[in-house]
Amino acid sequence: MTHTDNRTMRRVLHREIAGTIGLLTDEHDFRAMRRYRTFTFADHETYLKQVESLLRTRALQGSHTTVALFDPEEYAEFCTQKGLDPDNPSSRTRFTAQIAATGPTLPYDGRPLSDLVPALVDEAVRQATWEYATALLARLGACTSCGEDLGRAAFTRAAGLLVRILDTAPPGNRHLVCSVTGPPETLIAALHIGDDGAALELDETEALEFTTVLALGLATESPGGLVIRASAPDTPDRVYGWRMRAYGLEPLTAGEVFDAYCTDIESGDLISPESNVDYCAPPDLGEEKPAQGHTH
């Protein structure tokens, strides 16, 4: 009887242990791990099937599992820094525990890996974009005239602009995209906002990332833009936007918005406009245009 009770208690405790799986999402990363003798998988497809089977089994047992991106180069650096043997399963376990705490993860919710992997990669891109933008803002330092932190000032200005954009937007769900062009690449952030008629619903992390990228564009005077799409039942979607300027945002005309949405970026060919969509000029944000650049 006691033996049975102990097994029952262990099963209960097993269900309450959260786990993380470090996933090799592409063939290149998988091949990099095959140099280790203790990594016994022969091909990527079989590996993904086994991972998916394990995730399903744990879910059926009531266990919670998160999935993290496993980067072989970061793993090798981790082992070097910690003095660990990379060809040891316990080293991979320690690295997975670290990326679970610091890297992008998603909870396994029963969806196929073919759907989960792109979402996990998107999450990694989002986090990397925010970290990069944050680092660039921090490097701006203080204003030589007044000592104000330039990055913090730009973030405050960007947050104020975002509030005004949402306050002036028509009712309905809103999808915002902000892009900042600059070396070495273009940074893009998106923000999804739900509107149930009583209150707006948004993800605070998304909002932070979006505001940071917008602040970077304002502070560095980089080319960029911000567009918003508002959707409500029984009315056409409204699409409008602004180009980025050092002092803030400059409205795009309805024609410029139409051209942006109805032109193929790569070929320059015209694309048929979407039905039931109104490409229009943005509402007045209700702010006076301050002087160019940092103001005191």
mmCIF file of all heavy atoms in Angstrom, residues 137 140-141 148-157:
data_model
loop_
_atom_site.group_PDB
_atom_site.id
_atom_site.type_symbol
_atom_site.label_atom_id
_atom_site.label_comp_id
_atom_site.label_asym_id
_atom_site.label_seq_id
_atom_site.Cartn_x
_atom_site.Cartn_y
_atom_site.Cartn_z
ATOM 1 N N LEU A 137 19.798 52.906 -28.347
ATOM 2 C CA LEU A 137 19.305 54.075 -27.602
ATOM 3 C C LEU A 137 20.237 54.400 -26.436
ATOM 4 O O LEU A 137 20.510 55.566 -26.154
ATOM 5 C CB LEU A 137 17.888 53.809 -27.085
ATOM 6 C CG LEU A 137 16.736 53.954 -28.085
ATOM 7 C CD1 LEU A 137 15.433 53.561 -27.416
ATOM 8 C CD2 LEU A 137 16.650 55.379 -28.623
ATOM 9 N N LEU A 140 23.389 56.473 -27.182
ATOM 10 C CA LEU A 140 23.264 57.887 -27.540
ATOM 11 C C LEU A 140 23.809 58.794 -26.444
ATOM 12 O O LEU A 140 24.245 59.915 -26.716
ATOM 13 C CB LEU A 140 21.801 58.233 -27.813
ATOM 14 C CG LEU A 140 21.167 57.534 -29.024
ATOM 15 C CD1 LEU A 140 19.688 57.905 -29.124
ATOM 16 C CD2 LEU A 140 21.894 57.905 -30.310
ATOM 17 N N GLY A 141 23.765 58.324 -25.207
ATOM 18 C CA GLY A 141 24.326 59.095 -24.110
ATOM 19 C C GLY A 141 23.500 60.319 -23.747
ATOM 20 O O GLY A 141 22.290 60.376 -23.991
ATOM 21 N N GLU A 148 20.524 65.887 -20.622
ATOM 22 C CA GLU A 148 19.401 64.956 -20.634
ATOM 23 C C GLU A 148 19.777 63.678 -21.383
ATOM 24 O O GLU A 148 20.480 63.715 -22.386
ATOM 25 C CB GLU A 148 18.182 65.599 -21.295
ATOM 26 C CG GLU A 148 16.939 64.698 -21.268
ATOM 27 C CD GLU A 148 15.718 65.390 -21.848
ATOM 28 O OE1 GLU A 148 15.881 66.401 -22.557
ATOM 29 O OE2 GLU A 148 14.608 64.915 -21.593
ATOM 30 N N ASP A 149 19.326 62.549 -20.864
ATOM 31 C CA ASP A 149 19.560 61.273 -21.523
ATOM 32 C C ASP A 149 18.767 61.245 -22.829
ATOM 33 O O ASP A 149 17.534 61.248 -22.818
ATOM 34 C CB ASP A 149 19.115 60.128 -20.609
ATOM 35 C CG ASP A 149 19.472 58.761 -21.173
ATOM 36 O OD1 ASP A 149 18.917 58.408 -22.238
ATOM 37 O OD2 ASP A 149 20.266 58.029 -20.556
ATOM 38 N N LEU A 150 19.473 61.193 -23.961
ATOM 39 C CA LEU A 150 18.816 61.296 -25.258
ATOM 40 C C LEU A 150 17.913 60.097 -25.548
ATOM 41 O O LEU A 150 16.836 60.246 -26.114
ATOM 42 C CB LEU A 150 19.856 61.448 -26.366
ATOM 43 C CG LEU A 150 20.691 62.733 -26.318
ATOM 44 C CD1 LEU A 150 21.769 62.709 -27.398
ATOM 45 C CD2 LEU A 150 19.795 63.960 -26.490
ATOM 46 N N GLY A 151 18.366 58.912 -25.185
ATOM 47 C CA GLY A 151 17.562 57.722 -25.419
ATOM 48 C C GLY A 151 16.271 57.738 -24.610
ATOM 49 O O GLY A 151 15.195 57.415 -25.125
ATOM 50 N N ARG A 152 16.383 58.142 -23.348
ATOM 51 C CA ARG A 152 15.187 58.204 -22.491
ATOM 52 C C ARG A 152 14.219 59.280 -22.986
ATOM 53 O O ARG A 152 12.999 59.090 -22.991
ATOM 54 C CB ARG A 152 15.585 58.478 -21.048
ATOM 55 C CG ARG A 152 14.416 58.414 -20.064
ATOM 56 C CD ARG A 152 14.861 58.583 -18.621
ATOM 57 N NE ARG A 152 15.699 57.490 -18.199
ATOM 58 C CZ ARG A 152 16.981 57.599 -17.878
ATOM 59 N NH1 ARG A 152 17.582 58.785 -17.964
ATOM 60 N NH2 ARG A 152 17.678 56.555 -17.475
ATOM 61 N N ALA A 153 14.773 60.403 -23.424
ATOM 62 C CA ALA A 153 13.916 61.477 -23.940
ATOM 63 C C ALA A 153 13.173 61.024 -25.201
ATOM 64 O O ALA A 153 11.986 61.316 -25.380
ATOM 65 C CB ALA A 153 14.763 62.713 -24.241
ATOM 66 N N ALA A 154 13.875 60.298 -26.076
ATOM 67 C CA ALA A 154 13.236 59.804 -27.297
ATOM 68 C C ALA A 154 12.153 58.783 -26.966
ATOM 69 O O ALA A 154 11.089 58.761 -27.605
ATOM 70 C CB ALA A 154 14.288 59.178 -28.217
ATOM 71 N N PHE A 155 12.401 57.950 -25.977
ATOM 72 C CA PHE A 155 11.401 56.950 -25.591
ATOM 73 C C PHE A 155 10.143 57.630 -25.044
ATOM 74 O O PHE A 155 9.017 57.242 -25.361
ATOM 75 C CB PHE A 155 11.978 55.997 -24.545
ATOM 76 C CG PHE A 155 11.068 54.840 -24.204
ATOM 77 C CD1 PHE A 155 11.133 53.661 -24.922
ATOM 78 C CD2 PHE A 155 10.140 54.950 -23.182
ATOM 79 C CE1 PHE A 155 10.284 52.602 -24.626
ATOM 80 C CE2 PHE A 155 9.288 53.898 -22.878
ATOM 81 C CZ PHE A 155 9.372 52.717 -23.600
ATOM 82 N N THR A 156 10.343 58.658 -24.225
ATOM 83 C CA THR A 156 9.206 59.397 -23.678
ATOM 84 C C THR A 156 8.402 60.055 -24.799
ATOM 85 O O THR A 156 7.164 60.045 -24.807
ATOM 86 C CB THR A 156 9.697 60.471 -22.687
ATOM 87 O OG1 THR A 156 10.405 59.823 -21.620
ATOM 88 C CG2 THR A 156 8.532 61.261 -22.116
ATOM 89 N N ARG A 157 9.111 60.622 -25.771
ATOM 90 C CA ARG A 157 8.446 61.263 -26.901
ATOM 91 C C ARG A 157 7.676 60.224 -27.730
ATOM 92 O O ARG A 157 6.551 60.449 -28.163
ATOM 93 C CB ARG A 157 9.490 61.965 -27.769
ATOM 94 C CG ARG A 157 8.924 62.785 -28.911
ATOM 95 C CD ARG A 157 9.887 63.887 -29.328
ATOM 96 N NE ARG A 157 11.291 63.514 -29.235
ATOM 97 C CZ ARG A 157 12.137 63.536 -30.263
ATOM 98 N NH1 ARG A 157 11.716 63.892 -31.450
ATOM 99 N NH2 ARG A 157 13.395 63.228 -30.104
#
